[in-house]
Amino acid sequence: ADRCTVFLVDQVNEQLFSISTDSTKEIRIPKTVGIAGECATTGLTIEIADAYENPLFNQEFDKSSGYRTKSILAVPIKDDVAGAALGVIQMINKIEFDGEIGVFNADDVQVLETFARFIGPKVTKASLLTGEKRAEKTETEASAAFHGFSRDSEDSAGKYKPRKSLAPESVTAIMEGAEDGDDEDD
């Protein structure tokens, strides 16, 4: 293919996003718009021989850049457990052996779907790890706030310093199976 874009789904903002390899700028589009949006929303592979004949194709990029999109192949990257689309691989303008622009065929679809199935679990794991790091950060900040410390109240040595406590003076911990301070296992 002449061009390829890997979009990831941003569930929170209902968008697809990618980073341009040319400019390193982030590209964001609504999750329900265009070929990639349709692929992400339906979870189906989309094969288009002539982009200009498809009503989902947005011609604005071609008009502004002078580029001519002909064929498109969009394949969802799915969560291997739930089957939800985590992203989309979109190939534009198949390049034939003679250098001419061609149309994607069943072999191209099979190769790209196999690749998408291979990377789906990797994207799932990366998404979970990113989510865990966000959760850890939130938990750490919540814990600091609960115990009366905050990042914005650091002293000159960079240590946390106490601020007015948000927690009650005494906190009673209840442990399952422990009575009257007895913490032996039953």
Side-chain angles (χ1 to χ4, degrees):
D2 183 42
R3 305 229 170 147
C4 177
T5 305
V6 176
F7 289 101
L8 296 177
V9 175
D10 176 348
Q11 295 291 5
V12 173
N13 296 307
E14 291 291 311
Q15 296 177 328
L16 298 177
F17 70 96
S18 183
I19 305 296
S20 170
T21 56
D22 296 334
S23 66
T24 66
K25 290 183 182 177
E26 186 175 76
I27 302 164
R28 285 190 169 267
I29 60 172
K31 182 181 170 186
T32 57
V33 172
I35 310 292
E38 181 75 7
C39 181
T41 303
T42 64
L44 301 174
T45 295
I46 300 174
E47 205 178 334
I48 300 172
D50 186 349
Y52 283 80
E53 291 182 8
N54 190 297
L56 293 173
F57 177 66
N58 181 351
Q59 299 177 20
E60 291 306 310
F61 176 78
D62 280 11
K63 289 177 183 174
S64 67
S65 68
Y67 187 79
R68 172 77 165 122
T69 301
K70 182 171 176 14
S71 57
I72 299 175
L73 175 58
V75 174
I77 302 167
K78 294 183 179 180
D79 175 336
D80 58 333
V81 177
L86 302 169
V88 174
I89 304 169
Q90 182 174 274
M91 309 282 279
I92 298 177
N93 291 346
K94 177 180 179 173
I95 303 296
E96 299 290 356
F97 290 111
D98 62 3
E100 294 296 314
I101 295 174
V103 176
F104 294 101
N105 60 34
D107 290 337
D108 300 320
V109 170
Q110 183 180 13
V111 167
L112 200 55
E113 285 179 341
T114 300
F115 180 68
R117 276 193 303 277
F118 175 75
I119 66 170
K122 289 13 174 198
V123 172
T124 300
K125 185 175 180 181
S127 297
L128 290 174
L129 290 175
T130 301
E132 285 175 10
K133 287 179 183 174
R134 265 183 286 185
E136 284 175 15
K137 181 180 177 190
T138 302
E139 186 177 312
T140 300
E141 290 172 350
S143 178
F146 181 76
H147 294 292
F149 295 89
S150 80
R151 293 186 193 285
D152 50 318
S153 63
E154 292 178 6
D155 63 16
S156 59
K159 304 277 185 194
Y160 286 123
K161 62 182 183 181
R163 63 179 171 149
K164 184 176 178 186
S165 178
L166 300 176
E169 290 298 316
S170 63
V171 177
T172 305
I174 300 172
M175 296 174 54
E176 187 175 310
E179 294 180 24
D180 301 322
D182 180 9
D183 56 5
E184 292 180 20
D185 293 329
D186 290 334

